[in-house]
Amino acid sequence: MARRILCVAEKPSIAKAVANHLGGGRVTTKPIRGSPYVKNYEFSYNFGPSFGNTDCAVTMTSVSGHLASQDFPPQYRNWRSCASEILFDCEVVTFVDEDRKPVADNIAQLARYAQALFIWTDCDREGEHIGGEVRDVAVKSNAQIQIRRAKFSNIERAHILTAARRLGGLDERLINAVKARIELDLRIGAAFTRLQTLNLQSVTAALQDKVISYGSCQFPTLGFVVDRYFRVQEFVPEPFWGIRVMLRREGVDVIFSWNRHRLFDRMAVTILFERCLAAREARVIKVSQKPTSKWRPLPLTTVELQKLGSKWLRMTSDQVMTAAEKLYQQGFISYPRTETDQFDRGMDLQKLVEKQVPAPSWGAYSQGLLDGGFKWPRSGTNNDKAHPPIHPITFVAANRLESDEQRRVYEFVTRRFLGCCSEDAKGESTTVEALYGDEPFTALGLVVRQRNYLDVYIYEKWESSQPLPEFRTGERFEPTEANITDGRTTAPGYLTEPELIGLMDANGIGTDATMAEHIKRIQGRDYVRTQARSGAGREEGARGRGGGGRGPVMEFIPTTLGCALVKGYDRMGFDTSLSKPHLRKEMEIQMRAICAGSKTRSEVVQQSLDQYRDVFVRTKQQIEVLKSVSLF
């Protein structure tokens, strides 16, 4: 009798794709009771020597994200049933929600008659934890079931067939890291949310029915927006002065920039300028010409995809990730959640380039790479050991994609990949250094000789300046024009989404997979709104060519409520304000320690709870400070 194998994916679309690859098109589809989206796919497949080297009877099904939820027991769920600080220590229960029970029951029923369970969830922390939830349901139904884990980063057929014969085990360290994060987010978020809401609802009628939520990633994200907002509001412009020198030679106006750039003392600039005029002539002290390059981009990570998608495609990070996830589920790009910015030398990248030859917009460029232009991509410093950089798996025509967002993201991912596999742009720079009196000035020129990767990666610019005429070291010239310039310092702009993602990444707020969710959440909580950047008008990304988003640059503005919350916590004078990233950054470091095996889940949970409990107690003692912020 054939061995029965149960396979479970994280999403219905992945289950269907994997089943069709393994089943070779000979797949029977059956619905399950109570869930319109999850299906059971039955087929035969030979998993190799480890499983008898013979056809097994396989049922492939899926969950739809997490199976289990966590909450406090019923006696603690009423917000006024207990003091909020009790939530740091009381019991937490894990259960399957009613709407997920049909999916859990399906897994339990199938596991009862299976010899082995193969888990096909996404290969990241969350996917590992979801795999653990699936495992727990299956083992309750069949304690003897064998557990295996498939490792894959895209759903291209050859890759899936390889993964099916190289099965490993679940990583309990990753599972425990997610369990720790879930428990901490629940306890800390619930305690502070209740404290804020119950105390602030009475401050003003506008807050009477509002939940004023707290999250350990949410608040530092808000803090970045508020900090920049007040930097702009409190900015005081300062006047400055400089010196500009121009020489007209051979019909070219050569601009010499002052090496001091600018000074904030008008009298000092006037004195230095008069010394220049007294010298009458400037003397060339150095002329240098050298080859220069503009480096092709590094392989694409999730953080870069979100930042550059927002910057150049004019999409929110949430829209970018939603489109990327759809492209992955359809098998068009690799797994879009990765920290890796280096390709493994074992990957056949030229085969991936070859698949882009039919593309109308970049097919000829792809062919050029295959005809001798291919160069192995640069390697960054990050490798999560789980997934390669984001790259296209196959060519797909634009009219086959479901939305304009998917088309733009697919084009960006593909052009980025082809740019990575290209030569750097090559040019020649000329630098002329001169002394006018005792003051140093510099003129710069650039000639772009070979555009190379810029021909396909249309999102970056590198253009020739007007060529400089010939200069010789030691020659003297009398400037055609010399004058004092003036200006005023300008305030920084309000935070844009690429800037916010950069701050979150640098400060360890969220993961590459959750940053977009945190940004979306502070908008949904009415802590932050967006507006078009003043004076920006409507701009085109990607130099006005295909792939660029059209629309204004959007920036984040905190609401009155968002400002009040951050200002209130800052005024409490804690060493670690809740609006600053320090506590959450430390928590994320501890999560990585769990993943590395250097700390246990219980150690990290206790340490983090102790830190936040201390802040909670002091916040409760000073709650009047938060309530008294005049912005409310």
Side-chain angles (χ1 to χ4, degrees):
M1 184 177 178
R3 299 186 69 179
R4 289 181 177 272
I5 306 294
L6 170 60
C7 295
V8 182
E10 187 171 325
K11 305 172 185 73
S13 59
I14 301 299
K16 181 178 180 181
V18 173
N20 283 329
H21 288 326
L22 299 183
R26 297 181 295 276
V27 179
T28 301
T29 304
K30 295 183 177 180
I32 76 165
R33 183 177 299 175
S35 177
Y37 305 110
V38 174
K39 302 287 190 294
N40 291 341
Y41 302 95
E42 297 178 353
F43 55 92
S44 296
Y45 186 74
N46 184 341
F47 288 95
S50 298
F51 293 88
N53 211 21
T54 187
D55 281 352
C56 299
V58 184
T59 300
M60 182 94 200
T61 189
S62 75
V63 293
S64 292
H66 283 280
L67 267 181
S69 296
Q70 290 72 33
D71 204 345
F72 303 109
Q75 64 268 32
Y76 299 109
R77 293 180 190 172
N78 186 303
W79 283 28
R80 299 184 184 275
S81 64
C82 65
S84 299
E85 55 265 36
I86 289 177
L87 302 180
F88 283 96
D89 300 298
C90 70
E91 181 187 3
V92 171
V93 293
T94 300
F95 57 92
V96 176
D97 283 325
E98 285 297 322
D99 60 339
R100 297 171 184 167
K101 281 186 176 178
V103 176
D105 291 343
N106 180 56
I107 292 171
Q109 178 69 22
L110 294 171
R112 188 171 294 122
Y113 303 103
Q115 281 77 52
L117 165 66
F118 296 169
I119 292 169
W120 290 78
T121 51
D122 293 343
C123 295
D124 55 15
R125 277 193 215 168
E126 292 297 322
E128 209 73 9
H129 183 260
I130 293 169
E133 293 177 338
V134 171
R135 182 262 318 273
D136 294 344
V137 169
V139 168
K140 281 184 180 179
S141 179
N142 179 358
Q144 305 303 315
I145 196 167
Q146 191 176 2
I147 311 295
R148 289 289 183 272
R149 197 334 175 191
K151 298 282 189 178
F152 63 104
S153 59
N154 66 73
I155 55 171
E156 190 259 339
R157 183 175 182 275
H159 185 69
I160 291 298
L161 296 181
T162 300
R165 290 194 166 215
R166 294 181 180 175
L167 301 167
L170 284 168
D171 191 330
E172 296 298 332
R173 298 172 301 180
L174 300 187
I175 294 172
N176 283 326
V178 177
K179 285 182 177 179
R181 192 265 304 160
I182 290 173
E183 180 179 351
L184 290 170
D185 285 350
L186 173 63
R187 292 186 185 278
I188 296 166
F192 278 98
T193 296
R194 291 188 190 185
L195 178 68
Q196 290 179 168
T197 302
L198 295 176
N199 280 279
L200 297 180
Q201 281 183 335
S202 60
V203 172
T204 173
L207 300 180
Q208 281 182 357
D209 300 316
K210 185 180 286 289
V211 173
I212 305 168
S213 73
Y214 171 84
S216 58
C217 286
Q218 178 181 317
F219 256 52
T221 304
L222 171 62
F224 292 135
V225 175
V226 173
D227 284 350
R228 176 65 69 85
Y229 174 77
F230 280 107
R231 279 181 58 197
V232 174
Q233 293 295 307
E234 296 166 1
F235 182 82
V236 178
E238 291 185 77
F240 61 82
W241 294 265
I243 302 174
R244 178 181 180 273
V245 171
M246 187 272 285
L247 172 68
R248 182 171 293 116
R249 175 177 287 186
E250 299 175 9
V252 177
D253 289 347
V254 182
I255 304 299
F256 284 83
S257 299
W258 193 24
N259 287 15
R260 296 181 190 264
H261 182 47
R262 64 187 183 187
L263 295 178
F264 292 90
D265 185 331
R266 182 177 183 178
M267 182 59 68
V269 173
T270 302
I271 292 171
L272 294 173
F273 178 64
E274 289 176 348
R275 290 176 180 174
C276 292
L277 295 180
R280 295 181 59 83
E281 291 183 329
R283 179 170 58 90
V284 177
I285 60 174
K286 185 178 181 181
V287 179
S288 60
Q289 289 184 312
K290 61 180 181 180
T292 187
S293 299
K294 183 173 176 61
W295 288 356
R296 61 219 166 107
L298 285 168
L300 186 61
T301 65
T302 305
V303 170
E304 283 298 298
L305 174 61
Q306 293 176 87
K307 286 168 59 177
L308 300 181
S310 180
K311 178 180 179 180
W312 285 326
L313 307 184
R314 297 291 191 264
M315 296 166 61
T316 68
S317 55
D318 184 62
Q319 290 173 323
V320 170
M321 292 309 298
T322 298
E325 182 70 28
K326 290 286 187 182
L327 292 168
Y328 161 67
Q329 292 178 19
Q330 296 172 85
F332 300 139
I333 68 172
S334 62
Y335 190 59
R337 293 184 172 89
T338 177
E339 299 175 6
T340 301
D341 55 7
Q342 50 189 255
F343 281 105
D344 186 281
R345 285 282 177 177
M347 291 185 67
D348 188 351
L349 299 187
Q350 293 200 55
K351 189 70 175 178
L352 294 173
V353 171
E354 184 180 355
K355 292 184 178 182
Q356 297 299 324
V357 170
S361 298
W362 54 82
Y365 187 91
S366 302
Q367 186 61 56
L369 293 182
L370 297 174
D371 291 342
F374 177 86
K375 188 171 183 180
W376 190 263
R378 296 165 54 205
S379 290
T381 58
N382 304 300
N383 191 335
D384 61 17
K385 305 296 184 181
H387 299 288
I390 305 167
H391 61 275
I393 298 301
T394 189
F395 169 68
V396 57
N399 58 11
R400 286 188 56 201
L401 296 174
E402 299 172 355
S403 67
D404 181 58
E405 286 80 8
Q406 288 183 35
R407 285 188 284 274
R408 284 150 62 191
V409 171
Y410 178 79
E411 178 172 353
F412 174 75
V413 168
T414 303
R415 288 185 180 276
R416 173 78 171 218
F417 171 70
L418 295 174
C420 289
C421 297
S422 305
E423 288 275 2
D424 297 336
K426 307 287 186 181
E428 186 176 85
S429 66
T430 302
T431 303
V432 180
E433 299 177 34
L435 283 179
Y436 190 20
D438 293 327
E439 290 304 302
F441 292 81
T442 302
L444 300 174
L446 170 68
V447 178
V448 176
R449 301 294 187 190
Q450 300 173 36
R451 289 179 52 80
N452 295 331
Y453 87 90
L454 292 169
D455 285 332
V456 70
Y457 195 58
I458 59 178
Y459 311 95
E460 291 185 354
K461 292 182 180 180
W462 198 48
E463 297 175 347
S464 298
S465 64
Q466 193 169 17
L468 294 181
E470 183 179 351
F471 286 88
R472 297 185 307 278
T473 301
E475 75 167 281
R476 294 178 177 272
F477 64 86
E478 185 172 345
T480 307
E481 291 182 7
N483 48 54
I484 293 178
T485 61
D486 62 7
R488 296 173 70 84
T489 56
T490 56
Y494 297 114
L495 271 185
T496 62
E497 191 154 0
E499 293 172 325
L500 180 55
I501 292 170
L503 286 170
M504 295 172 72
D505 183 45
N507 288 278
I509 302 303
T511 65
D512 53 6
T514 62
M515 289 178 187
E517 297 172 15
H518 300 313
I519 294 172
K520 185 177 180 180
R521 189 167 290 117
I522 62 173
Q523 296 178 76
R525 294 300 187 188
D526 196 32
Y527 296 160
V528 165
R529 61 180 174 83
T530 58
Q531 68 176 27
R533 173 160 284 178
S534 176
R538 295 188 66 80
E539 300 182 7
E540 285 195 5
R543 299 162 54 203
R545 296 166 62 180
R550 295 169 176 81
V553 176
M554 302 303 292
E555 54 193 12
F556 292 109
I557 306 296
T559 63
T560 299
L561 175 58
C563 287
L565 289 170
V566 170
K567 283 294 184 183
Y569 280 113
D570 287 350
R571 287 179 186 177
M572 291 182 186
F574 301 158
D575 292 337
T576 50
S577 172
L578 293 177
S579 69
K580 300 296 185 285
H582 316 301
L583 283 173
R584 181 64 200 203
K585 185 174 185 178
E586 176 62 26
M587 187 190 297
E588 182 57 33
I589 291 171
Q590 298 302 323
M591 297 302 155
R592 292 179 181 176
I594 298 176
C595 295
S598 58
K599 286 205 171 183
T600 66
R601 170 190 169 191
S602 59
E603 287 173 338
V604 169
V605 169
Q606 194 57 54
Q607 179 180 337
S608 295
L609 287 179
D610 287 345
Q611 289 178 317
Y612 276 94
R613 184 189 288 106
D614 179 60
V615 176
F616 181 90
V617 170
R618 289 188 288 159
T619 299
K620 191 173 182 180
Q621 292 170 347
Q622 300 189 49
I623 196 66
E624 292 302 321
V625 174
L626 186 61
K627 294 170 71 173
S628 66
V629 176
S630 60
L631 293 172
F632 277 120

